[in-house]
Amino acid sequence: MFRETIRGKSKGSTTGMDTMNTAPTEDHSPSCRDLVGLLAQTDRRAAYAALALGATSVTEVAELTKLRPPAAAAALQKLTDGRIAAFDSEKRTYTLLDDTFRLAVQAEIRVYGRGSGDGAGSYFRRGRLTFIPGKAEVRSRVLAVVKDSFEPGVTYSEAKVNAICGEWFDDWVSLRRALVDEGLLRRNESGTTYERV
């Protein structure tokens, strides 16, 4: 029987982002590739299965998997670091995070498409943009992925745009400028607010 799972922290909180050049948060969901890598090791797969079957502690995982407690603890730590599981420090218990795989698949589809992809996916890693391509056709597709982070009809302050762009790319100023140059974001005349086009 599956234990009730808990929801993970929401991606990209921008609380306190009230200055134009404040660095964005570094809270990013794992990709499908990351999840496959995490579960490629036998002990971690066994620990994951034990949690799915209702184990909540190192001792219970060790008993179910026949792993030695240090190996069970190490596997659980990796699952927690990879955001597949969460650890409650007060109760000293582990639970699976229910949205991790769904969000990873959604991000994969958004970047690569449902088929063979459109060339944009190679510019993303762990849900982050690694490079703004120079080739116009690919650049347009890459920036269209980022554009989806902005809601139509919503007015954004420059600080908020910086925060959202910073979730995608370290040089959020260049990314913001690229979105404006590409005609995906519209800046007002005073340069203080932005809207998705």
Side-chain angles (χ1 to χ4, degrees), residues 5 25 27 48 55-56 85 134 142 154 157 164 167 171 184:
T5 53
T25 62
D27 185 14
Y48 177 88
T56 60
V142 165
V154 175
S157 67
I164 292 170
E167 291 173 8
D171 185 357
L184 301 174

Side-chain angles (χ1 to χ4, degrees), residues 5 21 46 56 70 72 76 92 96 102 109 123 126 136 144 146 149 151 156 168 184:
T5 53
N21 292 315
T56 60
L76 288 168
R92 310 289 298 169
L96 292 177
R102 180 180 61 79
I109 289 170
Y123 291 90
R126 290 184 60 95
V146 177
S149 298
E151 294 292 328
Y156 295 88
W168 286 103
L184 301 174

Side-chain angles (χ1 to χ4, degrees), residues 33-86:
R33 182 186 299 178
D34 298 325
L35 296 175
V36 170
L38 280 166
L39 295 175
Q41 207 265 353
T42 305
D43 288 358
R44 295 174 204 161
R45 285 197 308 276
Y48 177 88
L51 292 178
L53 291 170
T56 60
S57 67
V58 171
T59 302
E60 290 175 355
V61 168
E63 287 173 1
L64 277 173
T65 60
K66 308 302 182 200
L67 292 171
R68 292 181 9 197
L76 288 168
Q77 184 62 54
K78 287 291 187 182
L79 295 181
T80 303
D81 291 346
R83 301 184 194 183
I84 291 177

Side-chain angles (χ1 to χ4, degrees), residues 120-143:
S122 60
Y123 291 90
F124 294 88
R125 173 76 176 124
R126 290 184 60 95
R128 299 267 292 164
L129 181 61
T130 58
F131 183 76
I132 300 174
K135 188 175 178 182
E137 187 180 343
V138 178
R139 176 186 175 95
S140 178
R141 290 194 296 262
V142 165
L143 294 176

Side-chain angles (χ1 to χ4, degrees), residues 150-170:
F150 298 90
E151 294 292 328
V154 175
T155 300
Y156 295 88
S157 67
E158 186 160 286
K160 183 69 173 179
V161 172
N162 286 345
I164 292 170
C165 288
E167 291 173 8
W168 286 103
F169 192 51
D170 288 338

Side-chain angles (χ1 to χ4, degrees), residues 3-4 6 56-58 60 86-95:
R3 243 185 223 276
E4 183 179 345
I6 61 173
T56 60
S57 67
V58 171
E60 290 175 355
F87 178 65
D88 186 323
S89 58
E90 290 181 11
K91 297 179 181 177
R92 310 289 298 169
T93 58
Y94 293 87
T95 49

